[in-house]
């Protein structure tokens, strides 16, 4: 086992020499320069022939490498790994006093292994952090000049200062680089945000221009179309004389297609007015049974042609509703029309109920039609969108009906839900508060 060194009675340099050496170390800017000056001073004043100073490797702080040496060959290739705490030289880092090893206790790869060795830790280990290095002095006997411990203390202090300064400089450089990157990223983000803001303004202006164009065009189209429908109706009533059956059939087709075109124009007008916030609400109190009966009567010709079993089931004692009657009717008409359109056989049922806990009325239209695959169920609520949007689609329409219904329901503080699966029918439900609070 290593033993504590006996300090010999060698002449010590005077205070002036130590002060000059301390000033020399203060003037060093690099750990290697500091270590080389310490080794030279130790050789001169302690009369030692072999010295090796180990310090942390800048690229790997988990090992010590030679920083300066004297009287050794091949020292630059030595490396002391710190991962083995039982290595005698790693243990020496924890000692506060110089220790002496005889040659048999030293690892063979150490350049000083042929003679005895004093180890001096350059500082104290704190909180698991090793000191900034290890000073090793070759000695055939356990005798050490008192200058060596004094030098080890000063050298450790200055190495600590230099390493901390280098770490601080690296941290400052990294911080500066990071700040520059953050500033660059912030500037880029600000540029992108400004670009997005301008694009948003342009999109808003384009949307407003589109809505205005659609509103103007719809108005211009509806004026002559109303005239066409008016004259067609007059001819069908025989104002200009009795019509032959072929003439009546032709005029009926003109009237039917004209009214269909008028419905499309009205849908476009509704969308533009809702988008522009110019769709007014006319709130009044009304009862659902009368409204549903009215809807069924208006769609009776389509119901008869469909040859479907169409029925209604209303919960008794439904309370009156305070909302926009025309808009609620428009939603129910659209939902029932769609059910009749997409159901080829089976039934369509209109149901109404009231939920007391939430003061909400539920109006459902359930059919046994083609149904809607879940992957398409969000698409159908978008403007001008249908499940099949191809030119060869089997069902006509603009794709605006459900979009308008959802927007109208939102205006009435309500919503529309859907339960459906492909080939298993669909159930659209309008959830409407008993009292709409918007004005």
């Amino acid at each position: 086992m290593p033993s504590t060194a006996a300090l010999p009675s060698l002449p010590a340099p005077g205070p002036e020499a130590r002060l000059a050496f301390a000033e020399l170390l203060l003037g060093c800017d690099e750990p290697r320069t500091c270590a080389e000056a310490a080794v030279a001073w130790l050789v001169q004043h302690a009369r030692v022939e072999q010295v090796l100073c180990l310090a942390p490797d800048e690229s790997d702080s988990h090992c010590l490498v030679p920083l300066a040496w004297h009287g050794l060959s091949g020292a630059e290739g030595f490396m002391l790994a710190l991962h083995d705490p039982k290595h005698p030289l790693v243990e020496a880092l924890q000692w506060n006093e110089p220790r002496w090893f005889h040659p048999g206790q030293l690892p063979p790869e150490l350049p000083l292994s042929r003679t005895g060795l004093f180890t001096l830790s350059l500082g104290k280990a704190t909180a698991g952090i090793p000191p900034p290095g290890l000073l090793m002095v070759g000695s055939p006997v356990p005798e050490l000049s008192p200058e060596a411990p004094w030098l080890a203390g000063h050298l450790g202090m200055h190495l600590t200062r230099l390493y901390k300064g280098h770490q601080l400089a690296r941290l400052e450089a990294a911080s500066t680089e990071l700040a520059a990157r953050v500033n660059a990223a912030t500037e880029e983000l600000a540029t992108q945000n400004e670009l997005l803001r301008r694009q948003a303004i342009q999109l808003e202006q384009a949307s407003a221009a589109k809505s205005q164009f659609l509103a103007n065009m719809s108005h211009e189209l509806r004026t002559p179309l109303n005239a066409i429908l008016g004259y067609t109706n007059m001819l069908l009533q025989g104002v200009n004389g009795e019509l032959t059956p072929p003439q009546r059939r032709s005029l009926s087709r003109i009237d039917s297609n004209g009214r269909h075109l008028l419905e499309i124009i009205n849908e476009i007008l509704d969308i533009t007015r809702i988008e522009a916030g110019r769709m007014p609400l006319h709130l009044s109190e009304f009862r659902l049974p009368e409204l549903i009966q009215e809807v069924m009567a208006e769609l009776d010709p389509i119901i008869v042609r469909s040859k479907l079993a169409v029925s209604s089931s209303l919960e008794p004692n439904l309370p009156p509703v305070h909302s926009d009657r025309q808009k609620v009717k428009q939603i129910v008409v659209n939902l029932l029309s769609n059910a009749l359109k997409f159901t080829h056989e089976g039934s369509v049922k209109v149901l109404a109920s009231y939920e007391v806990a939430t003061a909400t009325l539920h109006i459902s239209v359930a059919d046994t039609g083609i149904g809607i695959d879940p992957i398409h169920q969000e698409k159908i609520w978008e403007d001008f969108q249908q499940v099949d949007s191809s030119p060869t689609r089997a069902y006509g329409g603009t794709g605006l009906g459900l979009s308008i219904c959802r927007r109208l329901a939102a205006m009435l503080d309500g919503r529309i839900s859907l339960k459906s699966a492909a080939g298993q029918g669909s159930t659209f439900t309008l959830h409407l508060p008993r009292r709409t609070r918007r004005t």
Side-chain angles (χ1 to χ4, degrees), residues 383-396:
D383 296 346
F384 304 103
Q385 292 293 328
Q386 294 179 323
V387 172
D388 180 8
S389 299
S390 66
T392 58
R393 62 183 182 269
Y395 303 95

Side-chain angles (χ1 to χ4, degrees), residues 196-248:
L196 289 174
R197 187 186 68 82
R198 293 180 182 179
Q199 290 177 344
I201 292 174
Q202 292 173 354
L203 288 173
E204 187 177 344
Q205 292 173 343
S207 178
K210 177 211 69 175
S211 297
Q212 188 62 46
F213 171 77
L214 288 175
N216 292 340
M217 288 304 299
S218 299
H219 177 75
E220 294 298 326
L221 289 170
R222 192 164 60 168
T223 301
L225 184 57
N226 280 328
I228 293 171
L229 291 174
Y231 280 112
T232 302
N233 187 51
M234 289 170 59
L235 291 173
L236 286 171
Q237 291 179 3
V239 172
N240 292 339
E242 192 65 30
L243 300 174
T244 63
Q247 289 174 331
R248 183 170 293 277

Side-chain angles (χ1 to χ4, degrees), residues 28-71:
C28 295
D29 294 330
E30 294 295 330
R32 183 174 296 278
T33 306
C34 191
E36 288 174 348
V39 168
W41 194 89
L42 191 61
V43 170
Q44 179 183 356
H45 293 281
R47 298 197 299 272
V48 296
E49 296 181 356
Q50 291 182 316
V51 186
L52 177 62
C53 180
L54 299 178
D57 186 358
E58 290 188 3
S59 61
D60 184 3
S61 61
H62 294 89
C63 66
L64 299 182
V65 294
L67 199 60
W69 59 90
H70 174 78

Side-chain angles (χ1 to χ4, degrees), residues 78-153:
F78 178 71
M79 182 185 71
L80 175 61
L82 301 178
H83 58 77
D84 182 8
K86 296 189 179 299
H87 192 288
L89 297 182
V90 176
E91 287 183 340
L93 287 167
Q94 310 297 323
W95 297 335
N96 296 327
E97 298 292 334
R99 299 296 176 100
W100 186 78
F101 292 89
H102 62 75
Q105 293 176 300
L106 298 174
E109 69 274 12
L110 187 65
L112 293 86
S113 60
R114 294 180 181 179
T115 183
L117 174 67
F118 277 100
T119 59
L120 299 96
S121 177
L122 301 179
K124 296 182 179 180
T126 56
I129 302 174
L134 190 66
L135 184 66
M136 292 181 284
V137 179
S139 176
V141 293
E143 264 184 36
L144 182 65
S145 168
E147 301 309 312
W150 177 86
L151 180 137

Side-chain angles (χ1 to χ4, degrees), residues 361-376:
L361 289 135
H362 307 285
I363 307 169
S364 300
V365 177
D367 63 60
T368 59
I370 61 175
I372 305 169
D373 193 286
I375 63 174
H376 297 304

Side-chain angles (χ1 to χ4, degrees), residues 288 315-319 352-363 415 429-434:
L288 282 182
E315 191 177 89
N317 302 319
L318 288 173
S353 61
Y354 179 64
E355 187 178 345
V356 178
T358 59
T360 303
L361 289 135
H362 307 285
I363 307 169
R415 62 184 179 88
T429 303
L430 169 62
H431 308 274
L432 190 68
R434 182 178 175 182

